[in-house]
């Protein structure tokens, strides 16, 4: 799978456009791919940020954090990725809900774009709320504005938009009695957990896209399990999107930390 183009969106966050025509033909908002950098690499899931069926490409966005993403970041246009499997998972449920609020934390800004487009096309009023630590970590502001009716930016340090976290503008609106028919929150686990806690008292249906460790991506290994309404569900085939209010967040976040020591050791070796 040749890399057609690469772009550094902000420091350590890259967008890769990859030639994968059969994946591009079938991709839909909310789905993901699993790739291996080379024949000995681990398999990592990445949400599809965009696709072009005519050109035969899919775009993924990743942050350089661990061994695999560090090795991925060393590749250049013309280099190839050994395996790219997809599109996997269920597409986002899209219909005319009314007012849809899309909340994105960190580089999930890229992954909400296809959902925003699809929700707009279905006739929804789309509010996008993007949160970042500071202004240097924001990207695609114009594209987000084009694909929404309202764009709200929050930064932890107040260097762009309003100072504070991504949940605050949503909470204020709900407290004022403004109608929001559906929330979709995508980002780090802690951000999705607090988005869920924000909307729960108001009974607003809230969907999150879960990002557990995955291996096969086809429902066989069980490592992507998530506890939803007291039942074990597999994010790769039952998700990746679930009802945020039904998720056991503490269990999920503890499972995400399972291999932290091994991941650190692996990264040290990788950087040698
Ligand atoms: Fe193996 Fe989901 S990744 S069951």
């Amino acid at each position: 799978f040749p890399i057609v183009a690469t772009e550094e969106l902000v420091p350590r966050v890259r967008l890769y456009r990859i030639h994968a025509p059969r994946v591009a033909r079938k991709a839909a908002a909310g789905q993901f791919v699993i790739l291996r950098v080379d024949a000995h690499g681990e398999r990592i899931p990445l949400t599809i940020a965009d696709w072009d069926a005519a050109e035969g490409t899919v775009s993924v966005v990743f942050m350089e954090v661990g061994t695999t993403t560090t090795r991925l970041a060393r590749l250049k246009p013309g280099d190839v990725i050994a395996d790219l499997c997809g599109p996997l998972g269920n597409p986002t449920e899209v219909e005319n809900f009314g007012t849809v609020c899309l909340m994105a934390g960190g580089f999930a800004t890229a992954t909400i774009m296809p959902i925003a487009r699809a929700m707009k096309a279905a006739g929804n009023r789309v509010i996008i709320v993007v949160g970042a630590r500071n202004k240097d970590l924001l990207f695609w502001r114009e594209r987000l504005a084009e694909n929404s009716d309202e764009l709200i930016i929050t930064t932890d340090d107040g260097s762009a938009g309003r100072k504070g976290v991504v949940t605050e503008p949503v909470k204020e609106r709900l407290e004022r009695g403004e109608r929001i028919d559906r929330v979709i929150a995508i980002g780090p686990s802690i951000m999705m957990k607090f988005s869920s806690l924000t909307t729960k008292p108001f009974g607003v249906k809230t969907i999150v896209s879960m990002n557990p460790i995955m291996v096969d991506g086809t429902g066989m290994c069980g490592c992507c399990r998530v506890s939803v309404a007291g039942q074990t569900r597999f994010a790769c085939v039952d998700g990746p999107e679930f009802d945020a209010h039904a998720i056991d967040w503490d269990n999920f976040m503890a499972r995400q930390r399972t291999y932290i020591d091994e991941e650190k050791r692996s990264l040290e070796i990788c950087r040698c």
Side-chain angles (χ1 to χ4, degrees), residues 214-224 234 236:
M214 290 191 186
V215 180
D216 63 295
T218 56
M220 294 176 72
C221 71
C223 90
C224 67
F234 291 169
C236 65

Side-chain angles (χ1 to χ4, degrees), residues 38-265:
D38 60 39
H40 303 287
E42 74 171 331
R43 295 161 61 86
I44 58 159
L46 294 173
T47 305
I48 300 172
D50 207 352
W51 61 91
D52 184 330
E55 189 190 53
T57 57
V58 293
S59 298
V60 292
V61 173
F62 63 94
M63 178 181 261
E64 211 182 310
V65 281
T67 301
T68 300
T69 46
T70 298
R71 291 173 62 209
L72 192 58
R74 289 179 187 155
L75 301 181
K76 300 188 174 40
D79 290 340
V80 296
I81 288 167
D83 308 321
L84 187 141
C85 173
L88 298 168
N90 299 300
T92 303
E93 184 188 0
V94 177
E95 57 182 78
N96 191 342
F97 297 108
T99 298
V100 175
C101 177
L102 306 177
M103 301 167 69
F107 69 97
T109 301
T111 54
I112 61 159
M113 279 296 302
I115 300 175
R117 260 195 331 243
M119 288 294 183
K120 280 286 285 175
N124 291 285
R125 177 167 177 264
V126 174
I127 303 169
I128 296 180
V129 190
V130 171
R133 282 205 309 279
N134 60 57
K135 71 172 178 7
D136 299 329
L137 300 176
L138 291 165
F139 56 90
W140 287 4
R141 274 197 252 190
E142 295 78 19
R143 286 179 71 174
L144 291 166
E146 278 166 22
N147 285 283
S148 63
D149 296 282
E150 197 179 343
L151 172 63
I152 302 167
I153 306 273
T154 66
T155 48
D156 294 356
D157 65 357
S159 54
R162 57 179 279 178
K163 186 175 186 325
V165 291
V166 75
T167 50
E168 282 166 11
V170 179
K171 186 167 182 231
E172 284 170 10
R173 277 163 193 252
L174 292 171
E175 282 173 345
R176 284 200 301 265
E178 280 187 36
R179 186 176 173 146
I180 297 177
D181 299 285
R182 177 165 292 225
V183 168
I184 300 178
I186 307 180
S189 304
I190 190 77
M191 171 263 173
M192 294 195 289
K193 174 183 173 174
F194 278 94
S195 300
S196 171
L197 291 172
T198 299
T199 58
K200 198 171 182 178
F202 301 94
V204 177
K205 177 99 168 174
T206 299
I207 304 294
V208 284
S209 181
M210 302 304 275
N211 52 353
I213 299 165
M214 290 191 186
V215 180
D216 63 295
T218 56
M220 294 176 72
C221 71
C223 90
C224 67
R225 60 191 181 274
V226 180
S227 176
V228 184
Q231 293 194 323
T232 296
R233 310 290 300 276
F234 291 169
C236 65
V237 288
D238 301 322
E241 296 181 357
F242 293 106
D243 180 346
H245 300 156
I247 288 170
D248 181 339
W249 287 102
D250 293 339
N251 171 276
F252 179 75
M253 287 163 74
R255 285 182 54 76
Q256 288 293 75
R257 292 191 291 271
T258 307
Y259 298 110
I260 254 177
D261 292 337
E262 288 83 355
E263 284 166 5
K264 274 191 203 140
R265 277 208 299 280

